[in-house]
PDB file of all heavy atoms in Angstrom:
ATOM      1  N   ASP A 272       7.858-144.857 147.661  1.00 94.00           N
ATOM      2  CA  ASP A 272       9.152-144.552 147.122  1.00 94.00           C
ATOM      3  C   ASP A 272      10.123-145.584 147.406  1.00 94.00           C
ATOM      4  O   ASP A 272      11.384-145.319 147.487  1.00 94.00           O
ATOM      5  CB  ASP A 272       9.655-143.101 147.624  1.00 94.00           C
ATOM      6  CG  ASP A 272       9.600-143.000 149.013  1.00 94.00           C
ATOM      7  OD1 ASP A 272       9.387-143.941 149.730  1.00 94.00           O
ATOM      8  OD2 ASP A 272       9.953-141.907 149.537  1.00 94.00           O
ATOM      9  N   THR A 273       9.711-146.846 147.623  1.00 97.00           N
ATOM     10  CA  THR A 273      10.695-147.929 147.764  1.00 97.00           C
ATOM     11  C   THR A 273       9.930-149.171 147.165  1.00 97.00           C
ATOM     12  O   THR A 273       8.815-149.022 146.706  1.00 97.00           O
ATOM     13  CB  THR A 273      10.995-148.283 149.262  1.00 97.00           C
ATOM     14  OG1 THR A 273      11.984-149.224 149.321  1.00 97.00           O
ATOM     15  CG2 THR A 273       9.781-148.722 150.046  1.00 97.00           C
ATOM     16  N   VAL A 274      10.683-150.218 146.925  1.00 98.00           N
ATOM     17  CA  VAL A 274       9.989-151.418 146.434  1.00 98.00           C
ATOM     18  C   VAL A 274       9.593-152.209 147.591  1.00 98.00           C
ATOM     19  O   VAL A 274      10.200-152.462 148.552  1.00 98.00           O
ATOM     20  CB  VAL A 274      10.932-152.357 145.667  1.00 98.00           C
ATOM     21  CG1 VAL A 274      10.328-153.638 145.254  1.00 98.00           C
ATOM     22  CG2 VAL A 274      11.539-151.562 144.402  1.00 98.00           C
ATOM     23  N   ILE A 275       8.239-152.569 147.644  1.00 98.00           N
ATOM     24  CA  ILE A 275       7.598-153.325 148.762  1.00 98.00           C
ATOM     25  C   ILE A 275       7.402-154.755 148.383  1.00 98.00           C
ATOM     26  O   ILE A 275       6.735-155.039 147.364  1.00 98.00           O
ATOM     27  CB  ILE A 275       6.307-152.687 149.157  1.00 98.00           C
ATOM     28  CG1 ILE A 275       6.438-151.201 149.445  1.00 98.00           C
ATOM     29  CG2 ILE A 275       5.795-153.415 150.446  1.00 98.00           C
ATOM     30  CD1 ILE A 275       5.154-150.610 149.764  1.00 98.00           C
ATOM     31  N   MET A 276       7.968-155.703 149.085  1.00 97.00           N
ATOM     32  CA  MET A 276       7.758-157.064 148.936  1.00 97.00           C
ATOM     33  C   MET A 276       7.371-157.619 150.381  1.00 97.00           C
ATOM     34  O   MET A 276       7.273-156.919 151.359  1.00 97.00           O
ATOM     35  CB  MET A 276       8.923-157.815 148.356  1.00 97.00           C
ATOM     36  CG  MET A 276       9.336-157.423 146.968  1.00 97.00           C
ATOM     37  SD  MET A 276      11.045-157.822 146.467  1.00 97.00           S
ATOM     38  CE  MET A 276      11.822-156.722 147.540  1.00 97.00           C
ATOM     39  N   SER A 277       7.081-158.964 150.404  1.00 95.00           N
ATOM     40  CA  SER A 277       6.688-159.525 151.692  1.00 95.00           C
ATOM     41  C   SER A 277       7.258-160.865 151.819  1.00 95.00           C
ATOM     42  O   SER A 277       7.468-161.648 150.840  1.00 95.00           O
ATOM     43  CB  SER A 277       5.173-159.574 151.727  1.00 95.00           C
ATOM     44  OG  SER A 277       4.826-160.571 152.626  1.00 95.00           O
ATOM     45  N   GLN A 278       7.683-161.198 153.029  1.00 89.00           N
ATOM     46  CA  GLN A 278       8.259-162.476 153.332  1.00 89.00           C
ATOM     47  C   GLN A 278       7.233-163.627 153.212  1.00 89.00           C
ATOM     48  O   GLN A 278       7.487-164.678 152.765  1.00 89.00           O
ATOM     49  CB  GLN A 278       8.784-162.485 154.775  1.00 89.00           C
ATOM     50  CG  GLN A 278       9.252-163.766 155.333  1.00 89.00           C
ATOM     51  CD  GLN A 278      10.476-164.210 154.599  1.00 89.00           C
ATOM     52  OE1 GLN A 278      11.295-163.523 153.962  1.00 89.00           O
ATOM     53  NE2 GLN A 278      10.747-165.594 154.688  1.00 89.00           N
ATOM     54  N   SER A 279       5.985-163.335 153.501  1.00 91.00           N
ATOM     55  CA  SER A 279       4.975-164.376 153.491  1.00 91.00           C
ATOM     56  C   SER A 279       3.919-164.335 152.358  1.00 91.00           C
ATOM     57  O   SER A 279       3.243-165.315 151.984  1.00 91.00           O
ATOM     58  CB  SER A 279       4.141-164.490 154.787  1.00 91.00           C
ATOM     59  OG  SER A 279       5.017-164.713 155.842  1.00 91.00           O
ATOM     60  N   LEU A 280       3.818-163.055 151.837  1.00 93.00           N
ATOM     61  CA  LEU A 280       2.827-162.993 150.697  1.00 93.00           C
ATOM     62  C   LEU A 280       3.589-163.021 149.431  1.00 93.00           C
ATOM     63  O   LEU A 280       4.793-162.922 149.434  1.00 93.00           O
ATOM     64  CB  LEU A 280       2.139-161.619 150.843  1.00 93.00           C
ATOM     65  CG  LEU A 280       1.585-161.242 152.232  1.00 93.00           C
ATOM     66  CD1 LEU A 280       0.872-159.917 152.076  1.00 93.00           C
ATOM     67  CD2 LEU A 280       0.558-162.243 152.597  1.00 93.00           C
ATOM     68  N   HIS A 281       2.853-163.176 148.267  1.00 89.00           N
ATOM     69  CA  HIS A 281       3.546-163.126 147.094  1.00 89.00           C
ATOM     70  C   HIS A 281       3.019-161.901 146.225  1.00 89.00           C
ATOM     71  O   HIS A 281       2.318-162.154 145.238  1.00 89.00           O
ATOM     72  CB  HIS A 281       3.555-164.404 146.277  1.00 89.00           C
ATOM     73  CG  HIS A 281       4.756-164.512 145.443  1.00 89.00           C
ATOM     74  ND1 HIS A 281       5.480-165.692 145.337  1.00 89.00           N
ATOM     75  CD2 HIS A 281       5.374-163.652 144.710  1.00 89.00           C
ATOM     76  CE1 HIS A 281       6.462-165.538 144.496  1.00 89.00           C
ATOM     77  NE2 HIS A 281       6.404-164.347 144.076  1.00 89.00           N
ATOM     78  N   CYS A 282       3.284-160.691 146.644  1.00 92.00           N
ATOM     79  CA  CYS A 282       2.931-159.564 145.862  1.00 92.00           C
ATOM     80  C   CYS A 282       4.053-158.587 145.986  1.00 92.00           C
ATOM     81  O   CYS A 282       4.697-158.526 146.995  1.00 92.00           O
ATOM     82  CB  CYS A 282       1.592-158.990 146.154  1.00 92.00           C
ATOM     83  SG  CYS A 282       1.598-157.805 147.413  1.00 92.00           S
ATOM     84  N   TYR A 283       4.412-157.909 144.861  1.00 96.00           N
ATOM     85  CA  TYR A 283       5.349-156.869 144.949  1.00 96.00           C
ATOM     86  C   TYR A 283       4.854-155.546 144.403  1.00 96.00           C
ATOM     87  O   TYR A 283       4.110-155.543 143.413  1.00 96.00           O
ATOM     88  CB  TYR A 283       6.700-157.232 144.263  1.00 96.00           C
ATOM     89  CG  TYR A 283       6.641-158.378 143.307  1.00 96.00           C
ATOM     90  CD1 TYR A 283       6.679-158.194 141.994  1.00 96.00           C
ATOM     91  CD2 TYR A 283       6.578-159.716 143.814  1.00 96.00           C
ATOM     92  CE1 TYR A 283       6.559-159.316 141.093  1.00 96.00           C
ATOM     93  CE2 TYR A 283       6.520-160.813 142.957  1.00 96.00           C
ATOM     94  CZ  TYR A 283       6.461-160.608 141.648  1.00 96.00           C
ATOM     95  OH  TYR A 283       6.407-161.675 140.784  1.00 96.00           O
ATOM     96  N   ILE A 284       5.246-154.502 145.015  1.00 98.00           N
ATOM     97  CA  ILE A 284       4.632-153.188 144.747  1.00 98.00           C
ATOM     98  C   ILE A 284       5.784-152.149 144.516  1.00 98.00           C
ATOM     99  O   ILE A 284       6.609-152.039 145.393  1.00 98.00           O
ATOM    100  CB  ILE A 284       3.731-152.722 145.891  1.00 98.00           C
ATOM    101  CG1 ILE A 284       2.767-153.789 146.366  1.00 98.00           C
ATOM    102  CG2 ILE A 284       2.961-151.451 145.550  1.00 98.00           C
ATOM    103  CD1 ILE A 284       2.027-153.526 147.600  1.00 98.00           C
ATOM    104  N   SER A 285       5.663-151.438 143.443  1.00 98.00           N
ATOM    105  CA  SER A 285       6.606-150.274 143.350  1.00 98.00           C
ATOM    106  C   SER A 285       5.917-149.292 142.462  1.00 98.00           C
ATOM    107  O   SER A 285       4.932-149.524 141.822  1.00 98.00           O
ATOM    108  CB  SER A 285       7.921-150.727 142.616  1.00 98.00           C
ATOM    109  OG  SER A 285       7.691-151.170 141.313  1.00 98.00           O
ATOM    110  N   GLN A 286       6.451-148.039 142.529  1.00 98.00           N
ATOM    111  CA  GLN A 286       5.789-146.975 141.667  1.00 98.00           C
ATOM    112  C   GLN A 286       6.784-146.641 140.560  1.00 98.00           C
ATOM    113  O   GLN A 286       7.975-146.383 140.769  1.00 98.00           O
ATOM    114  CB  GLN A 286       5.534-145.714 142.546  1.00 98.00           C
ATOM    115  CG  GLN A 286       4.763-144.691 141.739  1.00 98.00           C
ATOM    116  CD  GLN A 286       4.113-143.658 142.590  1.00 98.00           C
ATOM    117  OE1 GLN A 286       4.470-143.451 143.714  1.00 98.00           O
ATOM    118  NE2 GLN A 286       3.060-142.931 142.084  1.00 98.00           N
ATOM    119  N   SER A 287       6.321-146.680 139.355  1.00 96.00           N
ATOM    120  CA  SER A 287       7.225-146.430 138.223  1.00 96.00           C
ATOM    121  C   SER A 287       7.410-144.865 138.178  1.00 96.00           C
ATOM    122  O   SER A 287       6.761-144.032 138.808  1.00 96.00           O
ATOM    123  CB  SER A 287       6.569-146.824 136.876  1.00 96.00           C
ATOM    124  OG  SER A 287       5.588-145.919 136.464  1.00 96.00           O
ATOM    125  N   ASP A 288       8.507-144.517 137.404  1.00 94.00           N
ATOM    126  CA  ASP A 288       8.841-143.111 137.314  1.00 94.00           C
ATOM    127  C   ASP A 288       7.690-142.254 136.666  1.00 94.00           C
ATOM    128  O   ASP A 288       7.599-141.126 136.737  1.00 94.00           O
ATOM    129  CB  ASP A 288      10.170-142.938 136.526  1.00 94.00           C
ATOM    130  CG  ASP A 288      11.282-143.512 137.315  1.00 94.00           C
ATOM    131  OD1 ASP A 288      11.171-143.678 138.518  1.00 94.00           O
ATOM    132  OD2 ASP A 288      12.356-143.847 136.679  1.00 94.00           O
ATOM    133  N   LYS A 289       6.871-142.969 135.871  1.00 94.00           N
ATOM    134  CA  LYS A 289       5.690-142.296 135.287  1.00 94.00           C
ATOM    135  C   LYS A 289       4.549-142.107 136.298  1.00 94.00           C
ATOM    136  O   LYS A 289       3.608-141.366 135.989  1.00 94.00           O
ATOM    137  CB  LYS A 289       5.155-143.007 134.070  1.00 94.00           C
ATOM    138  CG  LYS A 289       5.781-142.651 132.762  1.00 94.00           C
ATOM    139  CD  LYS A 289       5.050-143.201 131.590  1.00 94.00           C
ATOM    140  CE  LYS A 289       4.971-144.677 131.484  1.00 94.00           C
ATOM    141  NZ  LYS A 289       4.396-145.250 130.327  1.00 94.00           N
ATOM    142  N   GLY A 290       4.537-142.786 137.406  1.00 97.00           N
ATOM    143  CA  GLY A 290       3.574-142.691 138.415  1.00 97.00           C
ATOM    144  C   GLY A 290       2.742-143.904 138.651  1.00 97.00           C
ATOM    145  O   GLY A 290       1.981-144.002 139.606  1.00 97.00           O
ATOM    146  N   GLY A 291       2.669-144.780 137.608  1.00 98.00           N
ATOM    147  CA  GLY A 291       1.822-146.018 137.809  1.00 98.00           C
ATOM    148  C   GLY A 291       2.297-146.850 138.878  1.00 98.00           C
ATOM    149  O   GLY A 291       3.550-146.874 139.202  1.00 98.00           O
ATOM    150  N   ILE A 292       1.373-147.520 139.590  1.00 98.00           N
ATOM    151  CA  ILE A 292       1.835-148.500 140.661  1.00 98.00           C
ATOM    152  C   ILE A 292       1.933-149.852 139.895  1.00 98.00           C
ATOM    153  O   ILE A 292       0.935-150.355 139.416  1.00 98.00           O
ATOM    154  CB  ILE A 292       0.786-148.533 141.791  1.00 98.00           C
ATOM    155  CG1 ILE A 292       0.477-147.193 142.370  1.00 98.00           C
ATOM    156  CG2 ILE A 292       1.389-149.522 142.884  1.00 98.00           C
ATOM    157  CD1 ILE A 292       1.616-146.470 143.082  1.00 98.00           C
ATOM    158  N   VAL A 293       3.125-150.409 139.898  1.00 98.00           N
ATOM    159  CA  VAL A 293       3.414-151.737 139.263  1.00 98.00           C
ATOM    160  C   VAL A 293       3.266-152.742 140.299  1.00 98.00           C
ATOM    161  O   VAL A 293       3.847-152.701 141.304  1.00 98.00           O
ATOM    162  CB  VAL A 293       4.843-151.672 138.634  1.00 98.00           C
ATOM    163  CG1 VAL A 293       5.047-152.830 137.903  1.00 98.00           C
ATOM    164  CG2 VAL A 293       5.029-150.425 137.719  1.00 98.00           C
ATOM    165  N   LEU A 294       2.421-153.787 139.913  1.00 97.00           N
ATOM    166  CA  LEU A 294       2.137-154.948 140.789  1.00 97.00           C
ATOM    167  C   LEU A 294       2.418-156.202 140.119  1.00 97.00           C
ATOM    168  O   LEU A 294       2.100-156.373 138.883  1.00 97.00           O
ATOM    169  CB  LEU A 294       0.688-154.831 141.309  1.00 97.00           C
ATOM    170  CG  LEU A 294       0.309-153.517 141.985  1.00 97.00           C
ATOM    171  CD1 LEU A 294      -1.096-153.097 141.565  1.00 97.00           C
ATOM    172  CD2 LEU A 294       0.485-153.676 143.430  1.00 97.00           C
ATOM    173  N   GLY A 295       2.864-157.150 140.956  1.00 95.00           N
ATOM    174  CA  GLY A 295       3.069-158.453 140.393  1.00 95.00           C
ATOM    175  C   GLY A 295       2.831-159.503 141.502  1.00 95.00           C
ATOM    176  O   GLY A 295       2.770-159.149 142.623  1.00 95.00           O
ATOM    177  N   GLY A 296       2.548-160.774 141.074  1.00 91.00           N
ATOM    178  CA  GLY A 296       2.297-161.783 142.063  1.00 91.00           C
ATOM    179  C   GLY A 296       2.868-163.070 141.696  1.00 91.00           C
ATOM    180  O   GLY A 296       4.047-163.166 141.169  1.00 91.00           O
ATOM    181  N   ASP A 297       2.142-164.164 142.027  1.00 90.00           N
ATOM    182  CA  ASP A 297       2.537-165.567 141.754  1.00 90.00           C
ATOM    183  C   ASP A 297       2.521-165.934 140.264  1.00 90.00           C
ATOM    184  O   ASP A 297       1.701-165.423 139.540  1.00 90.00           O
ATOM    185  CB  ASP A 297       1.612-166.522 142.429  1.00 90.00           C
ATOM    186  CG  ASP A 297       2.092-166.791 143.872  1.00 90.00           C
ATOM    187  OD1 ASP A 297       3.274-166.821 144.127  1.00 90.00           O
ATOM    188  OD2 ASP A 297       1.183-167.006 144.736  1.00 90.00           O
ATOM    189  N   PRO A 298       3.322-166.855 139.787  1.00 92.00           N
ATOM    190  CA  PRO A 298       3.042-167.414 138.495  1.00 92.00           C
ATOM    191  C   PRO A 298       1.766-168.341 138.470  1.00 92.00           C
ATOM    192  O   PRO A 298       1.256-168.575 139.639  1.00 92.00           O
ATOM    193  CB  PRO A 298       4.293-168.309 138.197  1.00 92.00           C
ATOM    194  CG  PRO A 298       5.085-168.379 139.429  1.00 92.00           C
ATOM    195  CD  PRO A 298       4.543-167.461 140.474  1.00 92.00           C
ATOM    196  N   ASP A 299       1.376-168.757 137.347  1.00 89.00           N
ATOM    197  CA  ASP A 299       0.175-169.529 137.336  1.00 89.00           C
ATOM    198  C   ASP A 299       0.230-170.898 137.902  1.00 89.00           C
ATOM    199  O   ASP A 299      -0.840-171.541 138.161  1.00 89.00           O
ATOM    200  CB  ASP A 299      -0.326-169.721 135.821  1.00 89.00           C
ATOM    201  CG  ASP A 299      -1.046-168.474 135.308  1.00 89.00           C
ATOM    202  OD1 ASP A 299      -1.348-167.556 136.231  1.00 89.00           O
ATOM    203  OD2 ASP A 299      -1.348-168.327 134.202  1.00 89.00           O
ATOM    204  N   GLN A 300       1.449-171.396 138.121  1.00 90.00           N
ATOM    205  CA  GLN A 300       1.683-172.781 138.827  1.00 90.00           C
ATOM    206  C   GLN A 300       1.246-173.893 138.052  1.00 90.00           C
ATOM    207  O   GLN A 300       0.981-174.965 138.642  1.00 90.00           O
ATOM    208  CB  GLN A 300       1.050-172.669 140.210  1.00 90.00           C
ATOM    209  CG  GLN A 300       1.582-171.419 140.875  1.00 90.00           C
ATOM    210  CD  GLN A 300       1.446-171.407 142.429  1.00 90.00           C
ATOM    211  OE1 GLN A 300       0.385-171.845 142.871  1.00 90.00           O
ATOM    212  NE2 GLN A 300       2.344-170.897 143.111  1.00 90.00           N
ATOM    213  N   PHE A 301       1.142-173.793 136.702  1.00 94.00           N
ATOM    214  CA  PHE A 301       1.080-174.979 135.926  1.00 94.00           C
ATOM    215  C   PHE A 301       1.722-174.583 134.548  1.00 94.00           C
ATOM    216  O   PHE A 301       1.728-173.532 134.235  1.00 94.00           O
ATOM    217  CB  PHE A 301      -0.400-175.545 135.762  1.00 94.00           C
ATOM    218  CG  PHE A 301      -1.298-174.566 135.078  1.00 94.00           C
ATOM    219  CD1 PHE A 301      -1.464-174.519 133.672  1.00 94.00           C
ATOM    220  CD2 PHE A 301      -2.030-173.655 135.900  1.00 94.00           C
ATOM    221  CE1 PHE A 301      -2.364-173.603 133.109  1.00 94.00           C
ATOM    222  CE2 PHE A 301      -2.953-172.885 135.332  1.00 94.00           C
ATOM    223  CZ  PHE A 301      -3.081-172.745 133.931  1.00 94.00           C
ATOM    224  N   PRO A 302       2.214-175.659 133.849  1.00 95.00           N
ATOM    225  CA  PRO A 302       3.066-175.263 132.634  1.00 95.00           C
ATOM    226  C   PRO A 302       2.127-174.531 131.588  1.00 95.00           C
ATOM    227  O   PRO A 302       1.038-174.922 131.334  1.00 95.00           O
ATOM    228  CB  PRO A 302       3.528-176.623 132.142  1.00 95.00           C
ATOM    229  CG  PRO A 302       3.444-177.509 133.267  1.00 95.00           C
ATOM    230  CD  PRO A 302       2.287-177.074 134.119  1.00 95.00           C
ATOM    231  N   SER A 303       2.706-173.489 130.989  1.00 95.00           N
ATOM    232  CA  SER A 303       1.910-172.718 130.021  1.00 95.00           C
ATOM    233  C   SER A 303       2.915-171.860 129.160  1.00 95.00           C
ATOM    234  O   SER A 303       3.825-171.248 129.714  1.00 95.00           O
ATOM    235  CB  SER A 303       0.975-171.872 130.617  1.00 95.00           C
ATOM    236  OG  SER A 303       0.460-170.935 129.792  1.00 95.00           O
ATOM    237  N   TYR A 304       2.573-171.779 127.866  1.00 96.00           N
ATOM    238  CA  TYR A 304       3.250-170.875 126.997  1.00 96.00           C
ATOM    239  C   TYR A 304       2.320-169.834 126.473  1.00 96.00           C
ATOM    240  O   TYR A 304       2.545-169.197 125.440  1.00 96.00           O
ATOM    241  CB  TYR A 304       3.823-171.691 125.761  1.00 96.00           C
ATOM    242  CG  TYR A 304       5.101-172.547 126.093  1.00 96.00           C
ATOM    243  CD1 TYR A 304       4.895-173.915 126.324  1.00 96.00           C
ATOM    244  CD2 TYR A 304       6.338-172.046 126.199  1.00 96.00           C
ATOM    245  CE1 TYR A 304       5.993-174.681 126.647  1.00 96.00           C
ATOM    246  CE2 TYR A 304       7.437-172.810 126.495  1.00 96.00           C
ATOM    247  CZ  TYR A 304       7.198-174.178 126.699  1.00 96.00           C
ATOM    248  OH  TYR A 304       8.187-174.953 126.963  1.00 96.00           O
ATOM    249  N   ALA A 305       1.195-169.804 127.043  1.00 91.00           N
ATOM    250  CA  ALA A 305       0.107-169.004 126.518  1.00 91.00           C
ATOM    251  C   ALA A 305       0.324-167.508 126.426  1.00 91.00           C
ATOM    252  O   ALA A 305      -0.307-166.764 125.666  1.00 91.00           O
ATOM    253  CB  ALA A 305      -1.282-169.229 127.220  1.00 91.00           C
ATOM    254  N   GLN A 306       1.235-166.992 127.166  1.00 85.00           N
ATOM    255  CA  GLN A 306       1.487-165.532 127.338  1.00 85.00           C
ATOM    256  C   GLN A 306       0.114-164.786 127.630  1.00 85.00           C
ATOM    257  O   GLN A 306      -0.112-163.767 127.053  1.00 85.00           O
ATOM    258  CB  GLN A 306       2.133-164.919 126.149  1.00 85.00           C
ATOM    259  CG  GLN A 306       3.577-165.390 125.982  1.00 85.00           C
ATOM    260  CD  GLN A 306       4.593-164.405 125.571  1.00 85.00           C
ATOM    261  OE1 GLN A 306       4.135-163.437 124.850  1.00 85.00           O
ATOM    262  NE2 GLN A 306       5.800-164.486 125.870  1.00 85.00           N
ATOM    263  N   ARG A 307      -0.699-165.500 128.395  1.00 83.00           N
ATOM    264  CA  ARG A 307      -1.914-164.909 128.669  1.00 83.00           C
ATOM    265  C   ARG A 307      -2.276-165.411 130.092  1.00 83.00           C
ATOM    266  O   ARG A 307      -2.344-166.601 130.257  1.00 83.00           O
ATOM    267  CB  ARG A 307      -3.005-165.508 127.688  1.00 83.00           C
ATOM    268  CG  ARG A 307      -4.399-164.976 127.799  1.00 83.00           C
ATOM    269  CD  ARG A 307      -5.342-165.613 126.734  1.00 83.00           C
ATOM    270  NE  ARG A 307      -5.635-167.037 126.976  1.00 83.00           N
ATOM    271  CZ  ARG A 307      -5.495-167.963 126.137  1.00 83.00           C
ATOM    272  NH1 ARG A 307      -5.085-167.725 124.868  1.00 83.00           N
ATOM    273  NH2 ARG A 307      -5.814-169.216 126.427  1.00 83.00           N
ATOM    274  N   GLY A 308      -2.432-164.496 131.014  1.00 81.00           N
ATOM    275  CA  GLY A 308      -2.493-164.939 132.423  1.00 81.00           C
ATOM    276  C   GLY A 308      -3.932-165.122 132.833  1.00 81.00           C
ATOM    277  O   GLY A 308      -4.883-165.082 132.041  1.00 81.00           O
ATOM    278  N   LEU A 309      -4.007-165.554 134.096  1.00 87.00           N
ATOM    279  CA  LEU A 309      -5.383-165.865 134.700  1.00 87.00           C
ATOM    280  C   LEU A 309      -5.794-164.766 135.621  1.00 87.00           C
ATOM    281  O   LEU A 309      -4.986-164.285 136.443  1.00 87.00           O
ATOM    282  CB  LEU A 309      -5.238-167.178 135.497  1.00 87.00           C
ATOM    283  CG  LEU A 309      -4.807-168.375 134.750  1.00 87.00           C
ATOM    284  CD1 LEU A 309      -4.767-169.607 135.612  1.00 87.00           C
ATOM    285  CD2 LEU A 309      -5.803-168.633 133.523  1.00 87.00           C
ATOM    286  N   ALA A 310      -7.057-164.452 135.624  1.00 90.00           N
ATOM    287  CA  ALA A 310      -7.608-163.401 136.526  1.00 90.00           C
ATOM    288  C   ALA A 310      -7.418-163.713 137.995  1.00 90.00           C
ATOM    289  O   ALA A 310      -7.063-162.805 138.823  1.00 90.00           O
ATOM    290  CB  ALA A 310      -9.119-163.219 136.224  1.00 90.00           C
ATOM    291  N   PRO A 311      -7.530-164.997 138.465  1.00 90.00           N
ATOM    292  CA  PRO A 311      -7.352-165.228 139.858  1.00 90.00           C
ATOM    293  C   PRO A 311      -6.012-164.806 140.420  1.00 90.00           C
ATOM    294  O   PRO A 311      -5.892-164.330 141.621  1.00 90.00           O
ATOM    295  CB  PRO A 311      -7.542-166.773 140.003  1.00 90.00           C
ATOM    296  CG  PRO A 311      -8.332-167.157 138.762  1.00 90.00           C
ATOM    297  CD  PRO A 311      -7.948-166.178 137.732  1.00 90.00           C
TER     298      PRO A 311
END
Side-chain angles (χ1 to χ4, degrees):
Chain A
D272 58 3
T273 187
V274 175
I275 306 172
M276 293 162 290
S277 157
Q278 172 68 20
S279 299
L280 312 178
H281 207 139
C282 86
Y283 18 101
I284 312 170
S285 63
Q286 188 163 20
S287 81
D288 293 340
K289 269 195 295 188
I292 308 292
V293 182
L294 301 141
D297 271 328
D299 278 352
Q300 307 196 319
F301 60 90
S303 166
Y304 290 95
Q306 291 218 337
R307 181 178 74 227
L309 301 179

